[in-house]
Amino acid sequence: MNRNQVLPQVQLSSDPNALKRVDFCAPQSYRGAGFLGISDLPRLAEEVSTVQSGDGFEWNIETHFEESPGSNPHQILVLGLKGRLHLICQRCLQDCAVDLAEKRRFILVASEKEADDYPVEDEEQEPLVASQQFNLLDTIEDEILLSIPLIPKHPDGFCEPFTSGIDGEEPDEVATERENPFNILKNIKKN
Ligand SMILES: [Zn+2]
């Protein structure tokens, strides 16, 4: 018997607060999608350099049960994320748009111990401890934070390395200043 065919499928609310309490112990599967702005994700909000219109993440989630010989069926959660945030470019030190698109697969386990014992070498999926009030919003935010590049940069050729220049001025102003001595010299000659 395929468990997915007899279990009800529940639509997840796209309301961020509703995502904080999802019952993963109930005999049902879930499906849903929505959009989270940066302000819905307080830990992420601390990492970004600026928030521009359109910044945030589209998410989609589906869960299903997979038969496993000799034990209860495993509950699998697939999370898709697509969106944009702004970080400081480590080359030019200006704001830099970072686009992320991720797909993650999780297996729901019954206890912390089961999660600790789960083989880390399984790169296909990671364990999550199921609960009746599971915080899916936290899981989504965790995955975005884990996906952020360690050294964000504009694409190669799109920006110049930051130079402190003379008195911290912009490089093009420095170039103008280099010409100034000649102008000063001309003025001296005129006088
Ligand atoms: Zn840059």
Side-chain angles (χ1 to χ4, degrees):
M1 181 177 68
N2 186 330
R3 206 169 154 137
N4 291 303
Q5 284 167 1
V6 292
L7 291 177
Q9 188 176 71
V10 174
Q11 186 71 31
L12 283 167
S13 166
S14 62
D15 174 11
N17 282 317
L19 290 176
K20 290 179 184 174
R21 287 165 176 231
V22 179
D23 185 359
F24 279 130
C25 297
Q28 57 198 27
S29 62
Y30 293 93
R31 185 175 286 273
F35 180 84
L36 293 166
I38 303 294
S39 60
D40 296 319
L41 304 162
R43 286 179 291 149
L44 187 68
E46 285 181 24
E47 300 295 324
V48 302
S49 58
T50 179
V51 178
Q52 295 187 10
S53 77
D55 281 5
F57 287 84
E58 284 173 22
W59 60 267
N60 63 76
I61 281 171
E62 70 90 13
T63 71
H64 64 272
F65 288 86
E66 281 185 4
E67 298 298 325
S68 62
S71 72
N72 289 326
H74 294 305
Q75 193 174 5
I76 301 294
L77 184 154
V78 179
L79 165 66
L81 285 169
K82 195 171 187 296
R84 166 176 284 200
L85 75 170
H86 282 81
L87 299 169
I88 296 289
C89 168
Q90 296 303 299
R91 190 187 292 120
C92 67
L93 303 185
Q94 303 292 312
D95 293 324
C96 166
V98 175
D99 292 309
L100 298 177
E102 299 290 334
K103 190 142 206 164
R104 302 260 195 222
R105 186 183 151 106
F106 301 93
I107 179 165
L108 287 143
V109 296
S111 65
E112 288 287 348
K113 181 170 186 319
E114 223 180 296
D116 289 344
D117 291 345
Y118 194 80
V120 285
E121 59 271 20
D122 188 349
E123 288 174 3
E124 200 182 314
Q125 58 198 18
E126 285 172 63
L128 288 176
V129 181
S131 76
Q132 285 175 295
Q133 297 196 341
F134 188 91
N135 193 331
L136 256 182
L137 189 66
D138 262 357
T139 302
I140 292 171
E141 192 169 23
D142 285 345
E143 290 312 309
I144 296 170
L145 288 165
L146 285 170
S147 306
I148 289 180
L150 283 176
I151 305 173
K153 274 182 192 168
H154 288 109
D156 284 347
F158 274 69
C159 65
E160 295 294 322
F162 175 81
T163 51
S164 60
I166 298 163
D167 300 328
E169 283 171 273
E170 295 293 323
D172 55 341
E173 286 172 20
V174 174
T176 318
E177 268 210 1
R178 282 204 193 107
E179 290 169 11
N180 282 348
F182 297 100
N183 291 333
I184 294 162
L185 209 67
K186 269 190 250 171
N187 289 337
I188 291 167
K189 279 182 182 169
K190 273 181 200 164
N191 296 331

